[in-house]
């Protein structure tokens, strides 16, 4: 973030004149920069836009040049603009009064049914009177667009578009106003930031649409997961057949296409979508995208900036956690004002039988419905058919170019996961390149099944992979055949945290527990774009209307749907209150009452850095009893405690702010969890709870302390009545360790005999001057 304690505007004018006097031939190349100016000075959008033109005109020489340079003026929810600038111009404008910071336009990426039955979210017809269908809520989805013809977006039974809605149905290639209806009530698309980085997008080849229409499928999938209507007999090529529906099927949908099937989402476009969504009047924003660590600061990250102002307007923002697990500190979208969602499994499996030449059978998992089901094929180990210019280690995992094409042709190839190749994506492509007819990929156990539309790809664990090797070594002509994949429900222990789901703690604000919550994100069936890569079945291309996908991109819209249900049932609850209800009522046990497991190498008992508060429980979240509430002033004090200066904070809110230099507020932020990354001896933190249950209630505190700590609560009994709706209490942590410790976990329970409000406790003991002692 650029410092605001800078030379005055007079010096900036002088430097700008000198810059304009340079010969054009030596001017530096241009890039897109986002100029963030905090809260708006004016309520009138055109006045805000005009102020951007005037500011930039001082740099580029004229208002005409400024208008040509600016891609977007952010003027509804906050103030700022994205513009094409040279590096010298960027440095000049960063020193202007009124500018919080200037950052380069980055390209971020998306984080890529039975799941709602698994969550026990009832169908619309069963619970329509209690708001469990999301009626009255508007969900905005930022993604790759929408396929409006999908059955999930029919508007039968939908209410009329609400009068409060101010959005538009933006036309474009293959998309006009008729594609919006009482379900899809708004659609916009953003490409200026993307094209500024990659050049004009050529949509003539059919790989994209210059419109809200979805060419990749990802946005259609996430939108239908959050708010799709009921579709009978939905399946992926016969698999996972059943009733498909979104979490809030009666909620309205607003589409913001910020990501492109050709790859990536520009932050300048993402900020423009946030700005419009705030103006349009959405209630929930579902954002299945982000960037991997190192993380930008909260005043340099587009999602953090846009969501800050959205939440300030009462909009709940739900974000994906990222797909870089199971490694620690890989979590993204870590701002305390957003809901960050991890991915978990459901109880649906896709077993696939492999028959060996000796009539023995083994079971893997796949999504295999194609040909070759009754035919035996020779099987060979990748290490035994290494290409001349490769090596055995690479061939063992079927790295690119590692296999001998002559020896691999017409065979099933057995490959093993390596440290550098965790999934079968590269191996599958390698086998396809050498004309192999199938892949068996031995890997660490996971329930995430990789889709292969061209050749059979069967996933097995290392034990089965080793068993196959033994068979191959003992047989003169080893052969295998595959049976078609089956769909099995209710025979797989779930939920478990997905292997790929990014883990905490946060690498930018360790006192904020991330992720917040876990939701289904593995093998999720939802609507798809037929324009995306078709399935090749028996040499025939078949477009897909539904597809199975995995990722925190899939878990994010599950929570967006649940948030819409909560918004519909409790319209006066703040985004913080809704987030609190999700976290304090979440489950940390599987269907059989055992502690939830996190997939990994090896699997382990899950902890808050895997799933936050736990696995979402929508019904319990409807009636949390108590909530931990916050507003913008709390987030401002949080930013102050992180060290942002007074001027930057004042610009963000357009109110004079004097930050206190105490960092204790970081642990006292009124979150529904307590995370202490450095407990040296004793520490007391405070929290305030608001009663949203019966007016007269008495809650008693119960503690399961993190290992190595003693925890006390004062007062230990919280009594609410008609005059006492909020109560502040203190939690004191005392370290009983005299060694440098790792993180340990516990829980604080507040119970009234009906509600159980569970607050995760996360503590890491450290020793004063530890490093000075070694």
């Amino acid at each position: 973030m650029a410092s605001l304690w800078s030379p005055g505007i007079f010096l900036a004018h002088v430097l700008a004149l000198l810059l304009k006097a340079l010969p054009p031939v030596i001017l530096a190349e241009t890039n897109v920069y986002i100029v963030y100016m905090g809260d708006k000075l004016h309520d009138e959008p055109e006045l805000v836009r005009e102020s951007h033109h005037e500011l930039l005109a001082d740099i580029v020489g004229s208002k005409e040049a400024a208008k040509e340079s600016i891609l977007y003026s952010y003027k509804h929810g906050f103030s700022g603009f994205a513009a094409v600038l040279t590096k010298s111009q960027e440095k000049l404008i960063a020193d202007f009064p009124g500018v919080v910071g200037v950052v380069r336009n980055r390209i971020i990426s998306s984080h890529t049914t039975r799941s709602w039955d698994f969550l026990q979210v009832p169908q619309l017809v069963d619970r329509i009177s209690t708001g469990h269908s999301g009626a009255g809520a508007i969900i905005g989805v930022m993604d790759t667009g929408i396929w409006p013809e999908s059955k999930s977006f029919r508007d039968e039974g939908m209410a009329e578009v609400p009068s409060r809605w101010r959005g538009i149905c933006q036309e474009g290639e293959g998309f006009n106003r008729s594609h919006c209806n009482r379900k899809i009530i708004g659609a916009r698309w953003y490409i200026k930031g993307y094209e500024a980085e990659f050049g004009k997008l050529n949509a003539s080849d059919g790989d994209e649409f210059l419109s809200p229409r979805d060419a990749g499928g990802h946005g259609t999938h996430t939108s239908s997961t959050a708010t799709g209507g009921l579709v009978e007999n939905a399946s992926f090529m016969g698999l996972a057949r059943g009733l498909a529906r979104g979490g809030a099927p009666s909620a309205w949908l607003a589409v913001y296409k910020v990501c492109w099937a050709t790859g990536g989402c520009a932050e300048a476009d993402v900020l423009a979508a946030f700005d419009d969504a705030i103006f349009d009047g959405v209630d929930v924003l579902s954002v299945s995208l982000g960037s991997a660590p190192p993380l930008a600061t909260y005043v340099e990250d587009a999602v953090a900036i846009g969501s800050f102002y959205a939440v300030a307007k009462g909009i709940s923002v739900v974000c994906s956690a990222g797909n870089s697990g199971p490694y620690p500190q890989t979590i993204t979208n870590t701002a305390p004002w957003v809901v960050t969602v991890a991915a978990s499994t459901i109880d649906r499996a896709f077993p696939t039988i492999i028959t060996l030449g000796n009539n023995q059978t083994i079971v893997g998992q796949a999504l295999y419905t194609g040909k070759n089901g009754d035919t035996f094929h020779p099987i060979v180990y990748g290490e035994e058919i290494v290409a001349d210019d490769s090596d055995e280690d690479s061939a063992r995992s079927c790295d690119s170019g590692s296999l001998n094409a002559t020896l691999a042709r017409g065979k099933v190839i057995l490959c093993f996961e390596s440290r550098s190749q965790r999934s079968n994506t590269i191996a599958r492509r390698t086998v396809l390149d050498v004309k192999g007819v199938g892949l068996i990929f031995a890997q660490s156990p996971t329930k995430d099944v990789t889709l292969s539309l061209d050749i059979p790809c069967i996933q097995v664990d290392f034990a089965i992979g080793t068993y196959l090797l033994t068979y191959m070594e003992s047989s003169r002509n080893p052969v295998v055949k595959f049976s078609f994949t089956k769909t099995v429900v209710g025979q797989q222990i779930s939920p478990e945290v997905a292997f790929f789901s990014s883990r905490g703690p946060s690498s930018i604000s360790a006192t904020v527990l991330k992720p917040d919550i876990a939701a289904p994100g593995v093998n999720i069936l939802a609507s798809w774009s037929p324009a995306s890569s078709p399935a090749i079945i028996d040499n025939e291309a078949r477009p897909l209307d539904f597809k199975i996908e995995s990722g925190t991109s899939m878990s994010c819209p599950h929570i967006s749907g649940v948030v819409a249900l909560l918004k519909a049932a409790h319209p006066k609850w703040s985004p913080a209150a809704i987030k609190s209800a999700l976290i304090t009522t979440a489950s940390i046990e599987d269907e059989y009452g055992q502690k939830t497991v996190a997939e990994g190498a090896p699997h382990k008992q899950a902890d808050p850095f895997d799933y936050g508060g736990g696995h979402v429980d929508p019904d319990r979240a409807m009636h949390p009893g108590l909530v931990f509430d916050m507003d913008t002033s709390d987030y401002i004090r949080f930013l102050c405690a992180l060290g942002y200066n007074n001027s930057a904070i004042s610009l963000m809110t357009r109110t004079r702010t004097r930050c206190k230099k105490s960092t204790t507020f970081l642990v006292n932020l009124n979150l529904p969890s307590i995370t202490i990354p450095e407990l040296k001896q004793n520490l007391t933190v405070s929290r305030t709870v608001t009663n949203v249950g019966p007016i007269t209630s008495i809650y008693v505190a119960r503690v399961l302390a993190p290992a190595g700590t003693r925890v006390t609560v004062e007062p230990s009994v919280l009594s609410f009545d008609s005059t006492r709706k909020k109560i502040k209490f203190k939690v004191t942590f005392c370290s009983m360790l005299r060694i440098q410790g790792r993180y340990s976990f516990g829980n604080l329970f507040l119970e009234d005999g009906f509600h159980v409000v569970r607050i995760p406790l996360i503590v890491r003991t450290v020793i004063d001057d530890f490093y000075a002692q070694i």
Side-chain angles (χ1 to χ4, degrees):
M1 180 184 70
S3 171
L4 297 176
W5 301 105
S6 57
I9 194 168
F10 173 76
L11 178 58
H13 277 288
V14 173
L15 290 174
L17 290 172
L18 290 174
L19 180 64
K20 285 183 286 183
L22 292 173
V25 71
I26 65 172
L27 288 177
E29 66 176 72
T30 59
N31 290 296
V32 177
Y33 292 92
I34 298 169
V35 181
Y36 172 43
M37 302 176 67
D39 204 1
K40 302 172 298 177
L41 279 172
H42 313 282
D43 289 330
E44 177 55 51
E46 287 308 312
L47 291 178
V48 180
R49 187 204 303 267
E50 184 66 19
S51 70
H52 299 159
H53 293 162
E54 291 176 357
L55 187 153
L56 190 56
D58 287 327
I59 294 291
V60 298
S62 68
K63 279 193 177 181
E64 290 70 24
K67 291 178 181 178
E68 185 176 338
S69 174
I70 290 179
L71 303 181
Y72 297 107
S73 277
Y74 310 127
K75 55 190 180 296
H76 298 299
F78 48 93
S79 178
F81 56 89
V84 179
L85 303 170
T86 66
K87 185 65 177 176
S88 299
Q89 291 169 337
E90 177 264 332
K91 289 183 177 179
L92 284 174
I93 205 166
D95 283 335
F96 265 46
V99 174
V100 177
V102 182
V103 295
R104 175 76 188 274
N105 177 40
R106 297 183 304 160
I107 301 299
I108 56 182
S109 60
S110 54
H111 288 145
T112 290
T113 172
R114 171 62 191 168
S115 54
W116 290 112
D117 289 326
F118 182 69
L119 291 178
Q120 298 181 342
V121 172
Q123 296 184 27
L124 170 64
V125 294
D126 295 331
R127 301 287 288 275
I128 192 169
S129 63
T130 62
H132 275 228
S133 63
I138 304 172
I139 301 178
V141 178
M142 294 187 188
D143 215 298
T144 62
I146 195 78
W147 192 262
E149 292 83 3
S150 169
K151 293 180 181 179
S152 295
F153 309 119
R154 293 176 299 192
D155 64 356
E156 289 91 340
M158 290 294 300
E160 292 297 326
V161 178
S163 58
R164 64 186 174 91
W165 176 247
R166 296 191 289 181
I168 64 172
C169 192
Q170 185 179 0
E171 296 186 329
E173 184 181 7
F175 196 97
N176 56 48
R177 289 191 180 94
S178 70
H179 289 113
C180 291
N181 54 21
R182 294 195 310 274
K183 182 64 176 181
I184 305 172
I185 65 173
R188 298 177 184 262
W189 57 288
Y190 307 82
I191 199 171
K192 294 177 182 177
Y194 184 87
E195 288 191 331
E197 296 294 332
F198 299 110
K200 288 292 182 181
L201 182 64
N202 179 15
S204 61
D205 55 7
D207 289 339
E208 251 303 356
F209 300 96
L210 296 176
S211 74
R213 185 171 289 279
D214 182 12
H218 193 275
T220 300
H221 198 283
T222 56
S223 295
S224 63
T225 300
T227 183
L230 279 63
V231 180
E232 300 277 358
N233 205 33
S235 73
F236 168 71
M237 298 166 61
L239 296 175
R241 188 178 298 279
L243 177 70
R245 63 165 178 262
S250 294
W252 293 294
L253 172 64
V255 176
Y256 300 88
K257 182 176 178 177
V258 296
C259 302
W260 296 86
T262 44
C265 334
E267 285 197 312
D269 299 334
V270 171
L271 265 180
F274 268 110
D275 194 40
D276 284 336
I278 293 170
F279 171 80
D280 291 345
V282 303
D283 299 304
V284 184
L285 273 171
S286 188
V287 186
S288 289
L289 50 92
S291 57
L295 303 181
T297 68
Y298 294 135
V299 295
E300 295 174 320
D301 177 79
V303 174
I305 294 169
S307 61
F308 178 87
Y309 291 99
V311 170
K313 296 293 185 180
I315 302 168
S316 292
V317 181
V318 184
C319 298
S320 49
N323 299 336
S324 300
Y327 308 111
Q329 295 188 320
T330 51
I331 191 81
T332 188
N333 295 321
T334 63
W337 45 86
V338 304
V339 182
T340 309
V341 189
S344 58
T345 65
I346 59 176
D347 62 347
R348 183 172 58 202
F350 300 99
T352 307
I353 294 175
I354 305 170
T355 302
L356 312 185
N358 59 8
N359 287 325
Q360 296 295 309
T361 59
I362 56 178
V363 179
Q365 56 180 349
L367 298 172
Y368 173 52
T369 62
K371 58 184 179 179
N372 298 330
D374 296 322
T375 306
F376 277 102
H377 291 278
I379 182 171
V380 64
Y381 182 28
E383 186 183 89
E384 296 175 350
I385 54 170
V386 58
D388 292 339
D389 55 352
S390 187
D391 57 74
E392 290 184 350
D393 286 341
S394 298
R396 187 179 300 122
S397 56
C398 299
D399 290 346
S400 297
S402 64
L403 302 181
N404 183 303
T406 301
L407 299 176
R409 182 185 296 270
K411 295 182 176 65
V412 173
I413 314 299
L414 172 64
C415 312
F416 277 72
E417 172 189 320
S418 66
R419 186 173 298 179
S420 61
Q421 189 180 155
R422 287 168 38 191
S423 77
N424 58 42
T425 304
I426 295 175
R428 190 173 73 248
R429 194 174 303 129
T430 302
V431 172
L432 194 63
D433 289 343
V434 295
K435 303 297 190 295
V437 296
L439 166 67
I440 298 176
F441 192 77
Q443 63 182 116
S444 300
T446 177
K447 294 180 174 66
D448 177 20
V449 183
T450 303
L451 175 62
S452 177
L453 295 176
D454 28 46
I455 60 172
C457 175
I458 318 299
Q459 297 166 219
V460 299
D461 62 23
F462 288 126
I464 291 179
T466 304
Y467 178 84
L468 265 173
L469 273 180
T470 302
Y471 158 70
M472 292 161 62
E473 291 169 355
S474 63
S475 175
R476 183 172 299 177
N477 296 300
V479 292
V480 297
K481 70 175 180 179
F482 308 128
S483 298
F484 295 139
T485 298
K486 305 290 185 182
T487 302
V488 176
V489 173
Q491 308 208 2
Q492 174 172 272
I493 295 177
S494 286
E496 293 181 353
V497 179
F499 187 96
F500 57 77
S501 187
S502 290
R503 309 299 211 262
S506 167
S507 60
I508 193 172
S509 50
T511 57
V512 178
L513 174 60
K514 291 291 176 175
D516 293 299
I517 195 78
V522 177
N523 305 331
I524 303 302
L525 177 73
S527 292
W528 196 251
S529 168
S532 185
S533 300
I536 307 299
I537 307 299
D538 296 331
N539 297 318
E540 178 186 346
R542 300 183 189 176
L544 298 172
D545 296 318
F546 282 82
K547 191 180 178 188
I548 292 172
E549 286 283 296
S550 296
T552 55
S553 281
M554 283 65 246
S555 58
C556 172
H558 276 87
I559 294 299
S560 301
V562 174
V563 169
L565 301 182
L566 294 174
K567 283 267 187 181
H570 305 287
K572 294 184 179 181
W573 282 10
S574 70
I578 289 174
K579 175 178 170 178
S580 172
L582 293 171
I583 293 173
T584 62
T585 60
S587 171
I588 56 174
E589 295 179 346
D590 63 30
E591 295 178 288
Y592 298 94
Q594 303 298 309
K595 294 297 183 183
T596 299
V597 166
E599 291 186 342
H603 287 27
K604 68 178 184 67
Q605 182 175 313
D607 62 53
F609 290 150
D610 301 312
Y611 54 38
H615 194 260
V616 64
D617 187 331
D619 275 345
R620 289 190 61 213
M622 282 284 174
H623 309 285
L626 305 175
V627 294
F628 295 76
D629 207 357
M630 287 187 285
D631 58 24
T632 305
S633 64
D634 295 292
Y635 301 129
I636 289 298
R637 288 195 292 273
F638 167 77
L639 293 173
C640 283
L642 283 180
Y644 296 104
N645 63 46
N646 292 336
S647 300
I649 300 298
S650 296
L651 286 169
M652 289 181 68
T653 59
R654 294 296 171 184
T655 57
R656 186 172 180 82
T657 302
R658 300 188 69 85
C659 289
K660 297 180 180 179
K661 297 301 180 182
S662 172
T663 59
T664 58
F665 188 80
L666 292 175
V667 293
N668 287 307
L669 184 65
N670 202 42
L671 294 166
S673 59
I674 300 175
T675 305
I676 304 174
E678 294 186 358
L679 178 63
K680 295 179 179 178
Q681 290 182 339
N682 299 335
L683 180 66
T684 298
V685 303
S686 64
R687 290 291 187 271
T688 299
V689 286
T690 302
N691 182 23
V692 295
I695 293 175
T696 301
S697 301
I698 298 176
Y699 285 83
V700 178
R702 175 171 63 89
V703 176
L704 291 178
T709 63
R710 185 171 64 250
V711 180
T712 57
V713 181
E714 179 62 36
S716 60
V717 177
L718 308 180
S719 298
F720 298 90
D721 54 34
S722 59
T723 61
R724 198 180 192 199
K725 298 181 179 180
K726 294 187 176 184
I727 296 179
K728 183 177 182 178
F729 63 93
K730 295 181 179 181
V731 185
T732 299
F733 296 81
C734 177
S735 173
M736 296 185 293
L737 300 177
R738 292 296 175 263
I739 58 173
Q740 194 83 355
R742 63 174 71 93
Y743 278 104
S744 56
F745 309 95
N747 289 290
L748 165 60
F749 300 90
L750 300 175
E751 300 164 316
D752 69 346
F754 178 75
H755 302 95
V756 178
V757 182
R758 186 177 55 81
I759 301 103
L761 306 178
I762 304 96
V763 176
R764 176 172 171 262
T765 301
V766 298
I767 300 174
D768 283 320
D769 300 321
F770 172 76
Y771 292 104
Q773 300 176 32
I774 58 177

